[in-house]
Amino acid sequence: MLVLAVAAQIVGTIVTAPSLSWNVVLNYLFHQRILEGALRTLELTAGAMLMGIVGGVILAVMRLSPNPVVSTVSWFYIWFFRGTPVLVQIFFWFNLNTVLPHIGIGIPLTHLGLSADTNTLITPVMAVLFGLGFNEAAYMAEIVRAGIISIEHGQTEAAQALGMRRLQVMRRIILPQAMRVIIPPTGNETISMLKTTSLAVIAGGAVVELFTTGEQIASANFAIIELLFVVSAWYLVMTSVLTFGQYYIERYFARGSQRELPATPLQRFRRALFTFHAPPPTAPDVATTLPRDRR
Amino acid sequence: MTSDPMVKAEAVHKRFGRLEVLRGIDLEVAPKEVLCLIGPSGSGKSTFLRCINHLEKIDAGKLSVDGELVGYRERGDKLYELPDREVCRKRSEIGMVFQHFNLFPHMTALENVIEAPVHVKEESKSTAEERGRALLARVGLADKVDSYPRQLSGGQQQRVAIARALAMEPKLMLFDEPTSALDPELVGDVLDAMRVLAEDGMTMIVVTHEMGFAREVGDTLMFMDAGIIVEAGTPRDVLTSPQQERTKSFLAKVL
């Protein structure tokens, strides 16, 4: 209670601060630029997570490969990209042109090959995507690996005994089951990524995602806190939607793991609504409530 | 039996670290023969079974199925390990049933059965499904095609596992203690399914503790202990008049 009271006091002080203009907050909440920024944030999140998940699955499978070269390459990647700050990595891609103005592929010792300006190859958006995506792949690799090793070895053996190849066993048998373990932390990573895209602000306005948009507007009208409120509101909305989506994805991959899936909140709500006037339940029939195999 | 053996083992050795699990196994299994392997746990019988489809690599000796070495190619005097693709092709001709069923829990019974025909043999889905339904019916599970493994009893799961192995039309079936994880009253259904299979002429190697099954269905019975075959013969001979002391003391405990 005391904690609640103190918290209420603090929040109250801030929201009633005399120079805080709620009008500005309301004006910008659905402003075109803010909405476009939110959309760009979603695009960056989707792009970086796609890179992260695809890269993570590849790295995890490589990491568990019986080939020592392949697994060492994966180990090294994870060690490097997990061991350096993501902000540094974004900076790296963003400034690569200063040391490497042209990127090309060519045949050694000849002048044959293709080359392009680094700045046209790595646009600011791609620099941010590379920084976030390559970093995320390292984290996702560990999440996917945890999922894979959580599946008992008998599954692999049964699949191998049927003549399935190593990658087939992974794709058809192990990964679909590992999804149950992989999804919750991946949801976590996605929510984290949604917020981390705000690091794109270091692109100096070249990547106008939500936070950068807020900063740009605030630098013109000086309503810094107001725009932080606007921006935060949208981050909250988006993370809430993601949390909701995660629930349904988890349910899909839980098929076969329980005899009957539990009802969704919506289903429970509907059931509660329509059985509201039903008579009180009679004593349950013992025979039908026992687990099937004990009957 | 004059035909070439389906399985031929010559001085097969296998070690796990410093522990020698198989210390020279020699045996032949003729086509359509049912060989039952019995012995105390840790005697190497399951390990030997797993060597036959290369789930375990052997350290010395030779092991061939239907005239082809398992997992290796012989060139001159040396053995070379085969690439994954070749090992998989060979495995697809050998069915295996596990103690703990190892059904794929994210697939229904029918999906379990058609998985390998569709993705290894590249049969069309409709052909595989048609045969899959027939196989499930044959093991008495026509009404369970759409059930997930967790909705089935242990005995039903094991029968799905048998149907799954049969779907690849194997030349040889390996059973690794197929009834050891089952409730006693469920054992009968699984043994019945295996009996029908034997009657249809399937070559089978069965690691088991079911002496009754071995006596009725087995053509040959081998008693293994400490990585060697101690005694072999017809089930009746081995079970009723064992020659070796070790066999006698084992049978005295289990019969």
Side-chain angles (χ1 to χ4, degrees), chain B residues 98-117:
Chain B
F98 298 85
Q99 181 177 358
H100 296 288
F101 332 132
N102 296 355
L103 289 181
F104 307 133
H106 59 304
M107 299 180 181
T108 63
L110 186 61
E111 285 167 350
N112 264 278
V113 174
I114 67 168
E115 176 66 19

PDB file of all heavy atoms in Angstrom, chain B residues 98-117:
ATOM      1  N   PHE B  98      11.686 -49.072 -30.850  1.00  0.00           N
ATOM      2  CA  PHE B  98      12.438 -48.753 -29.636  1.00  0.00           C
ATOM      3  C   PHE B  98      11.644 -49.092 -28.374  1.00  0.00           C
ATOM      4  O   PHE B  98      10.415 -49.130 -28.389  1.00  0.00           O
ATOM      5  CB  PHE B  98      12.782 -47.263 -29.608  1.00  0.00           C
ATOM      6  CG  PHE B  98      13.650 -46.816 -30.754  1.00  0.00           C
ATOM      7  CD1 PHE B  98      13.085 -46.475 -31.977  1.00  0.00           C
ATOM      8  CD2 PHE B  98      15.020 -46.731 -30.616  1.00  0.00           C
ATOM      9  CE1 PHE B  98      13.881 -46.060 -33.041  1.00  0.00           C
ATOM     10  CE2 PHE B  98      15.819 -46.320 -31.664  1.00  0.00           C
ATOM     11  CZ  PHE B  98      15.258 -45.984 -32.879  1.00  0.00           C
ATOM     12  N   GLN B  99      12.385 -49.226 -27.288  1.00  0.00           N
ATOM     13  CA  GLN B  99      11.745 -49.511 -25.997  1.00  0.00           C
ATOM     14  C   GLN B  99      10.751 -48.406 -25.622  1.00  0.00           C
ATOM     15  O   GLN B  99       9.664 -48.679 -25.154  1.00  0.00           O
ATOM     16  CB  GLN B  99      12.825 -49.641 -24.924  1.00  0.00           C
ATOM     17  CG  GLN B  99      12.269 -49.963 -23.561  1.00  0.00           C
ATOM     18  CD  GLN B  99      13.377 -50.151 -22.533  1.00  0.00           C
ATOM     19  OE1 GLN B  99      14.561 -50.086 -22.839  1.00  0.00           O
ATOM     20  NE2 GLN B  99      12.985 -50.365 -21.300  1.00  0.00           N
ATOM     21  N   HIS B 100      11.175 -47.152 -25.840  1.00  0.00           N
ATOM     22  CA  HIS B 100      10.304 -46.035 -25.448  1.00  0.00           C
ATOM     23  C   HIS B 100       9.568 -45.441 -26.639  1.00  0.00           C
ATOM     24  O   HIS B 100       9.280 -44.234 -26.651  1.00  0.00           O
ATOM     25  CB  HIS B 100      11.109 -44.984 -24.689  1.00  0.00           C
ATOM     26  CG  HIS B 100      11.655 -45.508 -23.399  1.00  0.00           C
ATOM     27  ND1 HIS B 100      10.852 -45.755 -22.319  1.00  0.00           N
ATOM     28  CD2 HIS B 100      12.897 -45.891 -23.047  1.00  0.00           C
ATOM     29  CE1 HIS B 100      11.587 -46.255 -21.338  1.00  0.00           C
ATOM     30  NE2 HIS B 100      12.838 -46.345 -21.750  1.00  0.00           N
ATOM     31  N   PHE B 101       9.283 -46.238 -27.639  1.00  0.00           N
ATOM     32  CA  PHE B 101       8.463 -45.914 -28.819  1.00  0.00           C
ATOM     33  C   PHE B 101       9.069 -44.819 -29.697  1.00  0.00           C
ATOM     34  O   PHE B 101       9.143 -44.970 -30.894  1.00  0.00           O
ATOM     35  CB  PHE B 101       7.021 -45.515 -28.455  1.00  0.00           C
ATOM     36  CG  PHE B 101       6.487 -46.102 -27.176  1.00  0.00           C
ATOM     37  CD1 PHE B 101       5.844 -45.317 -26.231  1.00  0.00           C
ATOM     38  CD2 PHE B 101       6.653 -47.449 -26.902  1.00  0.00           C
ATOM     39  CE1 PHE B 101       5.364 -45.865 -25.054  1.00  0.00           C
ATOM     40  CE2 PHE B 101       6.177 -48.009 -25.736  1.00  0.00           C
ATOM     41  CZ  PHE B 101       5.536 -47.220 -24.800  1.00  0.00           C
ATOM     42  N   ASN B 102       9.444 -43.683 -29.044  1.00  0.00           N
ATOM     43  CA  ASN B 102      10.017 -42.556 -29.777  1.00  0.00           C
ATOM     44  C   ASN B 102       9.161 -42.115 -30.954  1.00  0.00           C
ATOM     45  O   ASN B 102       9.679 -41.808 -32.019  1.00  0.00           O
ATOM     46  CB  ASN B 102      11.427 -42.887 -30.268  1.00  0.00           C
ATOM     47  CG  ASN B 102      12.392 -43.125 -29.129  1.00  0.00           C
ATOM     48  OD1 ASN B 102      12.027 -42.960 -27.966  1.00  0.00           O
ATOM     49  ND2 ASN B 102      13.602 -43.510 -29.433  1.00  0.00           N
ATOM     50  N   LEU B 103       7.850 -42.076 -30.757  1.00  0.00           N
ATOM     51  CA  LEU B 103       6.988 -41.491 -31.789  1.00  0.00           C
ATOM     52  C   LEU B 103       7.234 -39.990 -31.807  1.00  0.00           C
ATOM     53  O   LEU B 103       7.683 -39.414 -30.820  1.00  0.00           O
ATOM     54  CB  LEU B 103       5.518 -41.771 -31.480  1.00  0.00           C
ATOM     55  CG  LEU B 103       5.054 -43.211 -31.643  1.00  0.00           C
ATOM     56  CD1 LEU B 103       3.573 -43.315 -31.317  1.00  0.00           C
ATOM     57  CD2 LEU B 103       5.319 -43.726 -33.047  1.00  0.00           C
ATOM     58  N   PHE B 104       6.935 -39.366 -32.946  1.00  0.00           N
ATOM     59  CA  PHE B 104       7.096 -37.917 -33.035  1.00  0.00           C
ATOM     60  C   PHE B 104       5.848 -37.272 -32.431  1.00  0.00           C
ATOM     61  O   PHE B 104       4.758 -37.373 -32.996  1.00  0.00           O
ATOM     62  CB  PHE B 104       7.292 -37.500 -34.492  1.00  0.00           C
ATOM     63  CG  PHE B 104       8.416 -38.254 -35.174  1.00  0.00           C
ATOM     64  CD1 PHE B 104       8.243 -38.815 -36.418  1.00  0.00           C
ATOM     65  CD2 PHE B 104       9.644 -38.421 -34.540  1.00  0.00           C
ATOM     66  CE1 PHE B 104       9.274 -39.512 -37.034  1.00  0.00           C
ATOM     67  CE2 PHE B 104      10.674 -39.122 -35.139  1.00  0.00           C
ATOM     68  CZ  PHE B 104      10.488 -39.672 -36.392  1.00  0.00           C
ATOM     69  N   PRO B 105       5.974 -36.612 -31.280  1.00  0.00           N
ATOM     70  CA  PRO B 105       4.783 -36.173 -30.540  1.00  0.00           C
ATOM     71  C   PRO B 105       3.999 -35.055 -31.231  1.00  0.00           C
ATOM     72  O   PRO B 105       2.830 -34.846 -30.917  1.00  0.00           O
ATOM     73  CB  PRO B 105       5.355 -35.678 -29.205  1.00  0.00           C
ATOM     74  CG  PRO B 105       6.773 -35.371 -29.476  1.00  0.00           C
ATOM     75  CD  PRO B 105       7.217 -36.297 -30.562  1.00  0.00           C
ATOM     76  N   HIS B 106       4.637 -34.339 -32.174  1.00  0.00           N
ATOM     77  CA  HIS B 106       3.943 -33.227 -32.826  1.00  0.00           C
ATOM     78  C   HIS B 106       3.189 -33.684 -34.064  1.00  0.00           C
ATOM     79  O   HIS B 106       2.678 -32.860 -34.815  1.00  0.00           O
ATOM     80  CB  HIS B 106       4.931 -32.120 -33.171  1.00  0.00           C
ATOM     81  CG  HIS B 106       6.052 -32.560 -34.079  1.00  0.00           C
ATOM     82  ND1 HIS B 106       6.885 -33.613 -33.771  1.00  0.00           N
ATOM     83  CD2 HIS B 106       6.470 -32.097 -35.270  1.00  0.00           C
ATOM     84  CE1 HIS B 106       7.768 -33.767 -34.735  1.00  0.00           C
ATOM     85  NE2 HIS B 106       7.529 -32.863 -35.662  1.00  0.00           N
ATOM     86  N   MET B 107       3.160 -35.004 -34.292  1.00  0.00           N
ATOM     87  CA  MET B 107       2.460 -35.510 -35.460  1.00  0.00           C
ATOM     88  C   MET B 107       1.420 -36.545 -35.027  1.00  0.00           C
ATOM     89  O   MET B 107       1.624 -37.254 -34.050  1.00  0.00           O
ATOM     90  CB  MET B 107       3.449 -36.214 -36.399  1.00  0.00           C
ATOM     91  CG  MET B 107       4.543 -35.313 -36.933  1.00  0.00           C
ATOM     92  SD  MET B 107       5.606 -36.278 -38.011  1.00  0.00           S
ATOM     93  CE  MET B 107       6.806 -35.032 -38.461  1.00  0.00           C
ATOM     94  N   THR B 108       0.344 -36.632 -35.801  1.00  0.00           N
ATOM     95  CA  THR B 108      -0.666 -37.652 -35.506  1.00  0.00           C
ATOM     96  C   THR B 108      -0.098 -39.024 -35.878  1.00  0.00           C
ATOM     97  O   THR B 108       0.969 -39.122 -36.484  1.00  0.00           O
ATOM     98  CB  THR B 108      -1.939 -37.421 -36.343  1.00  0.00           C
ATOM     99  OG1 THR B 108      -1.593 -37.560 -37.730  1.00  0.00           O
ATOM    100  CG2 THR B 108      -2.522 -36.045 -36.115  1.00  0.00           C
ATOM    101  N   ALA B 109      -0.843 -40.071 -35.495  1.00  0.00           N
ATOM    102  CA  ALA B 109      -0.398 -41.433 -35.787  1.00  0.00           C
ATOM    103  C   ALA B 109      -0.116 -41.590 -37.281  1.00  0.00           C
ATOM    104  O   ALA B 109       0.943 -42.079 -37.678  1.00  0.00           O
ATOM    105  CB  ALA B 109      -1.452 -42.435 -35.327  1.00  0.00           C
ATOM    106  N   LEU B 110      -1.062 -41.126 -38.108  1.00  0.00           N
ATOM    107  CA  LEU B 110      -0.890 -41.270 -39.553  1.00  0.00           C
ATOM    108  C   LEU B 110       0.313 -40.459 -40.048  1.00  0.00           C
ATOM    109  O   LEU B 110       1.098 -40.938 -40.863  1.00  0.00           O
ATOM    110  CB  LEU B 110      -2.167 -40.846 -40.292  1.00  0.00           C
ATOM    111  CG  LEU B 110      -2.158 -41.080 -41.795  1.00  0.00           C
ATOM    112  CD1 LEU B 110      -1.997 -42.558 -42.119  1.00  0.00           C
ATOM    113  CD2 LEU B 110      -3.433 -40.547 -42.449  1.00  0.00           C
ATOM    114  N   GLU B 111       0.462 -39.249 -39.522  1.00  0.00           N
ATOM    115  CA  GLU B 111       1.604 -38.416 -39.936  1.00  0.00           C
ATOM    116  C   GLU B 111       2.927 -39.072 -39.551  1.00  0.00           C
ATOM    117  O   GLU B 111       3.916 -38.996 -40.290  1.00  0.00           O
ATOM    118  CB  GLU B 111       1.496 -37.020 -39.309  1.00  0.00           C
ATOM    119  CG  GLU B 111       0.455 -36.147 -39.975  1.00  0.00           C
ATOM    120  CD  GLU B 111       0.117 -34.885 -39.180  1.00  0.00           C
ATOM    121  OE1 GLU B 111       0.547 -34.755 -38.019  1.00  0.00           O
ATOM    122  OE2 GLU B 111      -0.593 -34.039 -39.729  1.00  0.00           O
ATOM    123  N   ASN B 112       2.955 -39.715 -38.377  1.00  0.00           N
ATOM    124  CA  ASN B 112       4.146 -40.454 -37.977  1.00  0.00           C
ATOM    125  C   ASN B 112       4.482 -41.532 -39.003  1.00  0.00           C
ATOM    126  O   ASN B 112       5.634 -41.715 -39.366  1.00  0.00           O
ATOM    127  CB  ASN B 112       3.913 -41.115 -36.610  1.00  0.00           C
ATOM    128  CG  ASN B 112       4.441 -40.291 -35.459  1.00  0.00           C
ATOM    129  OD1 ASN B 112       5.628 -40.336 -35.155  1.00  0.00           O
ATOM    130  ND2 ASN B 112       3.554 -39.528 -34.828  1.00  0.00           N
ATOM    131  N   VAL B 113       3.430 -42.233 -39.438  1.00  0.00           N
ATOM    132  CA  VAL B 113       3.646 -43.374 -40.324  1.00  0.00           C
ATOM    133  C   VAL B 113       4.093 -42.929 -41.725  1.00  0.00           C
ATOM    134  O   VAL B 113       4.949 -43.550 -42.336  1.00  0.00           O
ATOM    135  CB  VAL B 113       2.369 -44.240 -40.395  1.00  0.00           C
ATOM    136  CG1 VAL B 113       2.513 -45.349 -41.426  1.00  0.00           C
ATOM    137  CG2 VAL B 113       2.066 -44.843 -39.030  1.00  0.00           C
ATOM    138  N   ILE B 114       3.537 -41.813 -42.219  1.00  0.00           N
ATOM    139  CA  ILE B 114       3.862 -41.420 -43.603  1.00  0.00           C
ATOM    140  C   ILE B 114       5.094 -40.512 -43.683  1.00  0.00           C
ATOM    141  O   ILE B 114       5.574 -40.224 -44.780  1.00  0.00           O
ATOM    142  CB  ILE B 114       2.672 -40.715 -44.302  1.00  0.00           C
ATOM    143  CG1 ILE B 114       2.388 -39.360 -43.644  1.00  0.00           C
ATOM    144  CG2 ILE B 114       1.442 -41.604 -44.294  1.00  0.00           C
ATOM    145  CD1 ILE B 114       1.429 -38.497 -44.448  1.00  0.00           C
ATOM    146  N   GLU B 115       5.623 -40.081 -42.548  1.00  0.00           N
ATOM    147  CA  GLU B 115       6.750 -39.140 -42.558  1.00  0.00           C
ATOM    148  C   GLU B 115       7.922 -39.622 -43.421  1.00  0.00           C
ATOM    149  O   GLU B 115       8.375 -38.924 -44.324  1.00  0.00           O
ATOM    150  CB  GLU B 115       7.211 -38.872 -41.118  1.00  0.00           C
ATOM    151  CG  GLU B 115       8.436 -37.973 -40.982  1.00  0.00           C
ATOM    152  CD  GLU B 115       8.191 -36.551 -41.444  1.00  0.00           C
ATOM    153  OE1 GLU B 115       7.009 -36.140 -41.528  1.00  0.00           O
ATOM    154  OE2 GLU B 115       9.182 -35.860 -41.735  1.00  0.00           O
ATOM    155  N   ALA B 116       8.401 -40.829 -43.123  1.00  0.00           N
ATOM    156  CA  ALA B 116       9.575 -41.309 -43.868  1.00  0.00           C
ATOM    157  C   ALA B 116       9.244 -41.694 -45.314  1.00  0.00           C
ATOM    158  O   ALA B 116      10.003 -41.349 -46.223  1.00  0.00           O
ATOM    159  CB  ALA B 116      10.222 -42.467 -43.120  1.00  0.00           C
ATOM    160  N   PRO B 117       8.119 -42.384 -45.569  1.00  0.00           N
ATOM    161  CA  PRO B 117       7.807 -42.665 -46.979  1.00  0.00           C
ATOM    162  C   PRO B 117       7.763 -41.390 -47.828  1.00  0.00           C
ATOM    163  O   PRO B 117       8.262 -41.368 -48.945  1.00  0.00           O
ATOM    164  CB  PRO B 117       6.425 -43.334 -46.913  1.00  0.00           C
ATOM    165  CG  PRO B 117       6.420 -44.005 -45.594  1.00  0.00           C
ATOM    166  CD  PRO B 117       7.194 -43.090 -44.674  1.00  0.00           C
TER     167      PRO B 117
END
